[in-house]
Amino acid sequence: MKAFVLSSSPRRNGNSSILAQSVREGLEESGHEVEFAYVDDFIRFFLRDCRECRKPDGECAIDDGFRSVFFERYLPADGFIAATPIYWYGASAQLKAFFDRTFCYYAASHPRSAEVTGGMLGKRVGLVLSSEETFPQVSASIVSQVQEFSRYTRSTFVGVVHGIGNARGDVYKDPLDPVASARRFGRDFFTRHATDYQLDTPRSGRVWG
Ligand SMILES: Cc1cc2nc3c(=O)[nH]c(=O)nc-3n(C[C@H](O)[C@H](O)[C@H](O)COP(=O)(O)O)c2cc1C
């Protein structure tokens, strides 16, 4: 399978990036094809008003690297793993900008809108977090956002790896060993049991085996 791991902290050797690299290693161990990118390498601008910004042929006029990453790495991927530090109880602005900028291409006014929409549907989605604080609600809004993104794109939200740390590399010292969890998450990413039932979803009474 193809996976796209997106690291969104400005600290390349920081905690969320360490976890993202560990997910990448796990995916590779299981034989998957992995693309890895740092948002700062390709996003230079926020979303603009499409009505004023779009070119006459419907193309996005924002001139940075988003387009090529979106078409060449994100859309073809079967799995998407977003890594972010928790900033102000949410995602980094970099990661939010990534989600926002997809609008330029799935909007009906883009000539490849139908193809793009199709490519955005049905992925497996994972979330990698690092934060200083430990209380469970610290991640509530970002987890909820990515879960809704997954629902909206008819994707499967596979789960979350969350490491605790503040200084660069702190996650290595987290006694719950999120670095190992991230590696395991990567290894199992395409096979991990992930469910979101409705009352009438057919299923057996047992979860395992
Ligand atoms: C702008 C900013 C906002 C932050 N907000 C929070 C927060 O709301 N809760 C928290 O637990 N940590 C917060 N932190 C700490 C980071 O989440 C923490 O240091 C994290 O490990 C950084 O990840 P990184 O090394 O990948 O950049 C914040 C840090 C910064 C720079």
Side-chain angles (χ1 to χ4, degrees):
M1 303 292 260
K2 287 184 184 173
F4 177 42
V5 181
L6 183 64
S7 188
S8 73
S9 172
R11 294 207 294 195
R12 291 187 184 228
N13 54 357
N15 296 310
S16 56
S17 194
I18 288 165
L19 297 174
Q21 290 287 4
S22 201
V23 171
R24 170 201 214 157
E25 286 163 17
L27 283 158
E28 285 171 350
E29 269 173 46
S30 292
H32 302 299
E33 203 181 302
V34 188
E35 295 280 356
F36 190 102
Y38 295 100
V39 176
D40 282 338
D41 281 341
F42 62 92
I43 287 190
R44 290 274 168 274
F45 306 103
F46 291 132
L47 177 70
R48 298 178 190 147
D49 180 347
C50 281
R51 218 174 262 191
E52 290 170 12
C53 178
R54 215 173 264 290
K55 294 180 185 172
D57 63 359
E59 260 309 333
C60 176
I62 304 177
D63 189 16
D64 62 12
F66 179 82
R67 188 181 199 286
S68 67
V69 170
F70 182 64
F71 277 98
E72 288 160 29
R73 303 196 199 186
Y74 174 76
L75 287 181
D78 305 295
F80 172 58
I81 297 101
T84 181
I86 292 182
Y87 280 176
W88 291 106
Y89 308 103
S92 66
Q94 285 88 335
L95 180 59
K96 185 61 166 50
F98 179 86
F99 285 121
D100 294 350
R101 289 280 300 278
T102 63
F103 177 76
C104 304
Y105 298 94
Y106 69 75
S109 40
H110 189 272
R112 293 170 69 182
S113 168
E115 174 198 338
V116 168
T117 303
M120 289 181 72
L121 295 172
K123 298 185 192 298
R124 283 175 80 84
V125 174
L127 179 62
V128 171
L129 301 172
S130 62
S131 69
E132 180 182 9
E133 297 171 272
T134 65
F135 71 105
Q137 288 296 102
V138 76
S139 62
S141 78
I142 169 77
V143 170
S144 166
Q145 183 177 24
V146 173
Q147 186 151 21
E148 288 303 299
F149 170 82
S150 305
R151 182 194 54 75
Y152 189 67
T153 58
R154 297 190 182 279
S155 298
T156 300
F157 188 29
V158 177
V160 184
V161 178
H162 186 168
I164 303 301
N166 201 26
R168 279 162 229 258
D170 255 358
V171 282
Y172 284 120
K173 298 182 202 150
D174 179 341
L176 292 181
D177 202 355
V179 180
S181 301
R183 198 177 184 118
R184 196 166 56 241
F185 187 74
R187 271 202 307 268
D188 308 344
F189 182 71
F190 284 105
T191 51
R192 192 173 275 218
H193 187 63
T195 52
D196 183 358
Y197 293 145
Q198 284 160 325
L199 182 63
D200 56 354
T201 304
R203 58 211 191 253
S204 82
R206 289 171 201 272
V207 175
W208 308 113

